[in-house]
Amino acid sequence: MRKQVLALFVGLLTTGLFAQKNEIKTAERAIKKLDYKTAATALKTAEGLVSNMDAKMKAKFYYLQVQTFNATQKYEDAATAFDNLKETEKKSGRKKYVATAQPIVDKMIDNVRNRAVNLFTKDKDYVNAAKDFLLAYTLDKRDTAALQNSALSAYNAQDYEGSLKRYMQLKDLNYTGIRTIYYAKEKETGVERNLGSKTQRDNMVRLGQFKEPRDEVSGSKRGDIIKNIALLLNRTGKTDEAIKMIQEVRAQNPNDLSLLLTEADFYIKLNKMDKFGEMMEKAVKLDPNNPILFYNLGIINSDKKGKEEEAIKYFKKAIELKPDYGDAYISVYRLIVSKEEAINKQMEGLTDFDKYDELEAKKKLIYKEALPYLEKGDQYRRTVDTVKILKSLYEILEMEDKAKEYGDILKKMG
């Protein structure tokens, strides 16, 4: 009985081996004829027998899969097959099929990259662009730029969790995005072009088509990666984690203004204006010629009792740096005019007409002081409100011609 069972097992094993070889031969013949449909069917049948294959046959099976999936543009399946092929030959010590499959995979990577670029730039199909960029990275782990493009595409597709996951991968890989760009000037036009690689650039120069070669090293994108992670954490409701990440990275890069401003923005969202003000103070030290930073400091201080003069100082600094800063002029106007509140309180219920006239005169002096700032604000950022207020001020200050002029402007504005 034992012999019969053994004979049956051997028979089944022999039948299995025969079936493996038969299906693989069928697939091989079909591929030679470019009949990938038949090849795919044969390989699908043989797939259930992979565990019984020896290393040599298994490697051949995966190699045929790479060819078939590539030809039918099932690139993800081709990538998996290639990984299986590499693992199989690594274990066996053989390197027959990996070397033969590599050019196929290289071409496939180019196809995937090109398809991803077209999906992103032409079709605006960010969902599938994200998938293809990620596949390009899966096929070539050296192409971390493809992983970054996948993260960006996922973000544009509003797949924030997917985008966050890929940006986190880049962070863990210590990705910087620093690369060397190889430029040269085209002799015929004099236009400088990026020629892709050093070899390509040097060859074009050697052939006499280009001249004046130069290299340029791009800046690090590490800060942008961390900033994007923090923004995505915040978007997905993890603001505390976002701030913590920004703070950890800022500790290593204290002079990175972009990271500092990102952290500051989180404090606005959390309504922690004191913390926001602290960040703005640090920011102006890093970038003392940035009018927006001084404007923000003005806004922060204008909301604090007793800090009005300091706020005006910051707004005026913003104007000094950006003479056409309409919002800053209007902000100065508002703070100066706010001084009339104290006078209005004194005028409430006042029966002393001489005192009333005296206070009214003081208010006019305030309006005269504020007027030039509103005029400038209106010049650079006109709205219906600025025109209305100016018309009113001109009437109060008995500037009849200007009041009429602004009345006409108001009518035209509807």
Side-chain angles (χ1 to χ4, degrees):
M1 182 66 178
R2 191 175 294 172
K3 288 182 179 179
Q4 288 177 334
V5 173
L6 182 60
L8 178 61
F9 174 74
V10 172
L12 289 171
L13 185 60
T14 304
T15 302
L17 290 170
F18 177 77
Q20 293 169 11
K21 290 179 180 179
N22 189 45
E23 296 301 339
I24 287 175
K25 283 181 180 179
T26 299
E28 193 171 20
R29 285 195 295 268
I31 289 171
K32 286 179 180 178
K33 295 177 182 178
L34 306 181
D35 180 5
Y36 294 105
K37 184 176 180 181
T38 299
T41 302
L43 290 169
K44 186 68 176 175
T45 303
E47 193 170 19
L49 305 169
V50 170
S51 59
N52 295 325
M53 293 179 186
D54 61 27
K56 181 178 178 182
M57 189 178 295
K58 194 181 288 187
K60 188 172 187 178
F61 168 78
Y62 289 132
Y63 171 62
L64 295 175
Q65 271 195 329
V66 170
Q67 289 181 287
T68 303
F69 288 138
N70 174 61
T72 54
Q73 295 189 5
K74 294 182 178 179
Y75 296 136
E76 290 185 22
D77 292 333
T80 301
F82 188 56
D83 283 342
N84 290 335
L85 173 58
K86 288 188 289 185
E87 185 64 25
T88 299
E89 291 203 333
K90 182 180 179 181
K91 286 180 179 178
S92 68
R94 296 170 56 87
K95 295 184 180 179
K96 179 178 179 180
Y97 292 109
V98 169
T100 310
Q102 189 65 60
I104 298 171
V105 173
D106 289 342
K107 188 172 182 180
M108 182 168 64
I109 292 169
D110 287 338
N111 290 338
V112 171
R113 282 182 187 140
N114 292 335
R115 191 171 71 179
V117 169
N118 286 330
L119 285 167
F120 187 96
T121 58
K122 293 182 180 179
D123 301 336
K124 311 299 180 187
D125 183 354
Y126 301 119
V127 172
N128 287 307
K131 291 178 181 177
D132 272 359
F133 278 125
L134 183 60
L135 178 56
Y137 171 70
T138 303
L139 289 165
D140 182 4
K141 290 295 196 296
R142 297 168 300 175
D143 189 5
T144 42
L147 183 59
Q148 183 186 12
N149 288 333
S150 180
L152 175 61
S153 301
Y155 181 86
N156 288 347
Q158 297 183 3
D159 175 13
Y160 302 123
E161 290 290 351
S163 182
L164 176 59
K165 181 179 178 181
R166 286 156 207 174
Y167 276 124
M168 288 297 287
Q169 280 182 269
L170 289 163
K171 174 182 174 290
D172 293 341
L173 289 167
N174 291 317
Y175 174 74
T176 63
I178 296 173
R179 63 192 182 96
T180 303
I181 306 169
Y182 300 99
Y183 290 105
K185 283 185 181 178
E186 191 173 14
K187 280 189 175 180
E188 188 175 336
T189 63
V191 175
E192 188 175 61
R193 300 187 186 281
N194 173 7
L195 295 175
S197 69
K198 186 177 189 305
T199 302
Q200 173 76 3
R201 192 270 312 276
D202 291 349
N203 284 340
M204 298 300 279
V205 170
R206 191 161 42 250
L207 290 169
Q209 297 176 16
F210 284 78
K211 61 180 181 178
E212 298 179 30
R214 73 177 182 88
D215 299 347
E216 183 177 296
V217 179
S218 67
S220 173
K221 296 179 181 177
R222 178 75 174 170
D224 289 335
I225 298 296
I226 300 300
K227 182 172 73 173
N228 290 339
I229 290 172
L231 291 171
L232 284 163
L233 284 168
N234 179 61
R235 184 178 281 275
T236 53
K238 301 170 185 174
T239 306
D240 289 339
E241 288 182 43
I243 292 175
K244 184 178 178 182
M245 174 162 286
I246 286 288
Q247 287 175 337
E248 286 177 1
V249 179
R250 279 196 57 240
Q252 301 167 15
N253 305 276
N255 295 327
D256 191 316
L257 181 64
S258 176
L259 291 174
L260 189 153
L261 293 177
T262 300
E263 183 180 345
D265 189 52
F266 290 145
Y267 293 129
I268 291 179
K269 292 179 173 67
L270 293 170
N271 200 30
K272 294 183 177 180
M273 303 313 290
D274 286 344
K275 290 293 292 182
F276 176 74
E278 287 177 25
M279 302 308 290
M280 287 299 100
E281 291 283 0
K282 292 177 181 178
V284 295
K285 290 177 182 177
L286 291 175
D287 190 2
N289 296 314
N290 188 328
I292 296 173
L293 300 180
F294 283 100
Y295 177 79
N296 284 334
L297 276 171
I299 293 293
I300 292 297
N301 282 278
S302 63
D303 289 336
K304 295 178 180 178
K305 193 71 176 175
K307 290 280 189 176
E308 293 84 0
E309 289 302 321
E310 195 166 345
I312 289 174
K313 180 188 72 174
Y314 285 126
F315 286 132
K316 286 183 176 180
K317 181 64 178 179
I319 291 168
E320 179 187 324
L321 294 168
K322 181 176 165 54
D324 62 349
Y325 206 153
D327 286 330
Y329 284 109
I330 291 170
S331 295
V332 173
Y333 158 78
R334 286 174 179 159
L335 284 169
I336 293 173
V337 166
S338 70
K339 296 175 184 177
E340 74 171 338
E341 291 176 12
I343 297 175
N344 288 335
K345 286 182 180 179
Q346 293 179 56
M347 295 173 75
E348 288 177 8
L350 193 65
T351 56
D352 183 338
F353 292 111
D354 290 336
K355 183 66 175 176
Y356 189 93
D357 290 341
E358 181 187 330
L359 292 173
E360 193 69 41
K362 284 185 178 181
K363 281 177 64 174
K364 284 187 178 181
L365 288 175
I366 290 172
Y367 296 149
K368 285 181 180 179
E369 181 188 354
L371 180 62
Y373 292 99
L374 184 57
E375 287 175 330
K376 281 288 187 179
D378 176 69
Q379 178 184 338
Y380 296 118
R381 198 176 78 73
R382 172 166 288 177
T383 65
V384 171
D385 284 340
T386 59
V387 174
K388 277 183 179 178
I389 296 170
L390 277 169
K391 177 179 176 295
S392 177
L393 284 176
Y394 290 136
E395 288 171 348
I396 292 169
L397 296 173
E398 300 177 5
M399 300 170 69
E400 295 175 5
D401 290 344
K402 295 294 289 185
K404 183 179 182 306
E405 177 189 339
Y406 274 74
D408 294 339
I409 293 171
L410 196 57
K411 287 177 184 176
K412 291 178 182 177
M413 294 178 78

